[in-house]
Amino acid sequence: MIAAENLDLSFKDLSLDVGAAGEENNKILKWNLPLKELYKLACSFYKEKSGKAIHLSYEDNLKLVAFTQQAAHGPLDLSEAPPLGMFDVIGKDRRIAWQQLGTITKLQAMEGFIDLLDRLCPLLKPYVEAIKKDKEEKARRAEQEQIQRTEALAAEKVRQEELQRLENEKNREELHRRQLQDALNQQTYHQFKEYAEIQFPGNPEQQAVLIRQLQNEHYHQYMQQLQAQVATNLARLKSISDGEDDDNPTAVVCENGTSTNETAEYAGAAANTKENSQFEFKEQCDSDNDSGDYAVISPANMWSKPDIKLFKQEVMAGKGDGVIRVNHGDTVTVKVPTHEGGSCLFWEFATDSYDIGFGVYFEWGKPPTTEVSVHISESDEDDDTIEEDEEVICAEDLECGPVQSSQTSSVASALGTRNPISIIIPIYRRECHQEVYAGSHTYPGEGTYLLKFDNSYSLWRPKTLYYKVFYTR
């Protein structure tokens, strides 16, 4: 056996017990790495670089091989070693080098291999450091990805909880709305029924339709009055808190129903059919005024997109609703009924070369069909207007001018069941030949959207219109 110093090896603080080698291997660090892991890296480096990046002498190779044998099998036992051939000089030299290591432990042999290879080849330590940094970077990335996944899961959970909360709130509001409307309907049913029997005697179906329309109108009017009452009460309270005298106190309106006087007045107006016609009754909801047309409608969202060429290609390829030629002086109305499975309408449109007028209206009432339809007219008047003595006569609403008093009685019966219309976006010209115009609007209720494309201001130029409409849940 040769001494460790004869091999220029240094075994410092290595009082190891062979039986506890596996446990201590997990505790001993060298170059801030577990000894066994570092030994594997050193062996890989020796196999890859020997004869390429490093050139060792025959004696040094014998020592390194002896260390690997000692680390793998422990001290040499000649009784169990296979016999060598007569001419196996290299095998004999390797066995002698292995035998000279004596009884050092496997862990000592691993460290001896590492130290000897490090002294013979200075590239070993940078090689190990590079692999160590790469491993640490992978571990850091894996930890970061795990943190991101955890945060994403937490964010998704919060989002789902918020969606569930909004859905529950929406359901509660809908339930409250139905309860309120049912209570109002019970209060006014008999008055409206008497009124409908006079308007459509012997026709129960038309009576039911009219009763339902009147009940809906009563509900929307009540909600508008309730909102105005609440706003007035808040203003009164604010003035009182500011020290002002409240000489005209306002009664607080109950949240779940109208007052007795209000219901009686409304029912009395509906029952007084001898002095009021159906047209005059519905005119209260159809008229164009500044305080609101039929119900409080949220504003629409509008934006634009620059990829107008791609949009036109998609529409022409059949991925949109279609292409329409709008002649000069014409107005195209695209009627889009609300869908029972939807909650919001989206639209996109563009034109070739020139601008076009655009606006959005909403016609209240159950749509007669669920299909999207296109109507072309030479003016912006509604398709349901009535001609009398070759003159166009229409009810007073958002799309027609006011009706003269002499004409009211002649068209009242024809427009008795006309649905009221509200303005969502007024018509004005859009530079839609330069970019795609898009927008959306949340359903205010059951009805039909009227998307109007107005070219009535153009005397000579027709416009090619590309449009898409769709709804979301």
Side-chain angles (χ1 to χ4, degrees), residues 183-296:
L184 294 175
N185 292 343
Q186 291 178 2
Q187 293 177 0
T188 59
Y189 174 75
H190 295 290
Q191 291 82 359
F192 290 157
K193 187 174 186 301
E194 294 177 0
Y195 178 72
E197 288 175 348
I198 297 176
Q199 293 298 316
F200 301 101
N203 193 337
E205 295 181 358
Q206 290 293 336
Q207 292 175 12
V209 172
L210 180 57
I211 291 173
R212 185 165 56 253
Q213 290 178 350
L214 295 178
Q215 287 176 338
N216 290 336
E217 292 166 1
H218 178 227
Y219 170 75
H220 288 294
Q221 287 184 354
Y222 168 75
M223 293 304 297
Q224 289 179 347
Q225 294 173 3
L226 180 62
Q227 291 174 359
Q229 191 72 41
V230 171
T232 304
N233 291 340
L234 291 177
R236 296 285 184 183
L237 292 175
K238 183 177 179 181
S239 64
I240 293 174
S241 63
D242 293 339
E244 300 179 0
D245 294 334
D246 189 7
D247 298 332
N248 186 20
T250 303
V252 178
V253 181
C254 298
E255 184 178 2
N256 60 350
T258 58
S259 64
T260 306
N261 293 335
E262 179 186 355
T263 304
E265 291 176 1
Y266 192 89
N272 190 8
T273 57
K274 293 183 180 180
E275 299 179 359
N276 299 284
S277 66
Q278 181 182 359
F279 174 78
E280 293 171 337
F281 184 86
K282 292 184 65 58
E283 187 180 9
Q284 297 175 6
C285 297
D286 295 353
S287 61
D288 185 7
N289 52 61
D290 297 334
S291 63
D293 304 311
Y294 187 63
V296 178

Side-chain angles (χ1 to χ4, degrees), residues 24 48 66 75 207 268 316 342 374 386:
E24 294 179 2
E48 293 176 5
Q207 292 175 12
M316 295 179 66
V374 178
I386 300 175

Side-chain angles (χ1 to χ4, degrees), residues 320-322 324 332-339 345-346 367-375 443 448-451 453 467-471:
D321 288 88
I324 301 176
V332 171
T333 302
V334 179
K335 295 188 175 182
V336 186
T338 55
H339 196 278
L345 177 71
F346 285 79
T369 178
T370 59
E371 299 295 329
V372 177
S373 59
V374 178
H375 301 264
Y443 287 179
T448 303
Y449 282 94
L450 308 177
L451 278 61
F453 299 95
Y467 77 96
K468 293 168 63 176
V469 289
F470 53 93
Y471 69 90

Side-chain angles (χ1 to χ4, degrees), residues 40-296:
K40 290 181 179 179
L41 293 176
C43 290
S44 299
F45 176 80
Y46 175 71
K47 292 179 182 178
E48 293 176 5
K49 307 299 181 181
S50 181
K52 299 176 183 178
I54 57 176
H55 299 277
L56 304 177
S57 64
Y58 179 71
E59 290 75 10
D60 291 333
N61 279 319
L62 286 178
K63 293 176 183 179
L64 291 173
V65 172
F67 277 123
T68 60
Q69 294 292 332
Q70 188 84 358
H73 307 288
L76 175 63
D77 188 354
L78 294 176
S79 61
E80 297 182 359
L84 298 174
M86 183 179 299
F87 300 102
D88 189 2
V89 178
I90 296 177
K92 291 179 181 179
D93 292 340
R94 289 182 176 179
R95 183 163 294 183
I96 292 173
W98 184 7
Q99 188 176 10
Q100 288 176 345
L101 294 179
T103 59
I104 64 173
T105 63
K106 292 182 179 181
L107 294 179
Q108 288 174 325
M110 292 179 185
E111 187 169 8
F113 178 87
I114 295 169
D115 290 340
L116 179 58
L117 185 60
D118 180 41
R119 191 180 74 252
L120 296 175
C121 182
L123 296 177
L124 174 62
K125 197 164 188 177
Y127 170 83
V128 173
E129 291 294 333
I131 294 180
K132 177 183 174 183
K133 289 182 179 180
D134 182 67
K135 182 179 179 181
E136 291 176 350
E137 179 65 18
K138 289 181 179 179
R140 185 189 66 80
R141 290 180 181 177
E143 183 179 359
Q144 186 176 5
E145 290 176 357
Q146 181 62 31
I147 293 175
Q148 291 177 351
R149 285 194 295 268
T150 303
E151 292 177 350
L153 291 175
E156 178 65 18
K157 183 179 179 181
V158 172
R159 190 182 71 86
Q160 293 294 338
E161 291 177 352
E162 179 65 16
L163 290 177
Q164 185 63 35
R165 185 188 67 79
L166 293 176
E167 183 67 21
N168 294 338
E169 183 177 351
K170 182 179 179 181
N171 292 336
R172 286 194 299 269
E173 292 178 354
E174 179 64 18
L175 179 61
H176 177 71
R177 185 194 68 81
R178 291 182 179 180
Q179 291 175 348
L180 178 59
Q181 190 168 11
D182 290 341
L184 294 175
N185 292 343
Q186 291 178 2
Q187 293 177 0
T188 59
Y189 174 75
H190 295 290
Q191 291 82 359
F192 290 157
K193 187 174 186 301
E194 294 177 0
Y195 178 72
E197 288 175 348
I198 297 176
Q199 293 298 316
F200 301 101
N203 193 337
E205 295 181 358
Q206 290 293 336
Q207 292 175 12
V209 172
L210 180 57
I211 291 173
R212 185 165 56 253
Q213 290 178 350
L214 295 178
Q215 287 176 338
N216 290 336
E217 292 166 1
H218 178 227
Y219 170 75
H220 288 294
Q221 287 184 354
Y222 168 75
M223 293 304 297
Q224 289 179 347
Q225 294 173 3
L226 180 62
Q227 291 174 359
Q229 191 72 41
V230 171
T232 304
N233 291 340
L234 291 177
R236 296 285 184 183
L237 292 175
K238 183 177 179 181
S239 64
I240 293 174
S241 63
D242 293 339
E244 300 179 0
D245 294 334
D246 189 7
D247 298 332
N248 186 20
T250 303
V252 178
V253 181
C254 298
E255 184 178 2
N256 60 350
T258 58
S259 64
T260 306
N261 293 335
E262 179 186 355
T263 304
E265 291 176 1
Y266 192 89
N272 190 8
T273 57
K274 293 183 180 180
E275 299 179 359
N276 299 284
S277 66
Q278 181 182 359
F279 174 78
E280 293 171 337
F281 184 86
K282 292 184 65 58
E283 187 180 9
Q284 297 175 6
C285 297
D286 295 353
S287 61
D288 185 7
N289 52 61
D290 297 334
S291 63
D293 304 311
Y294 187 63
V296 178

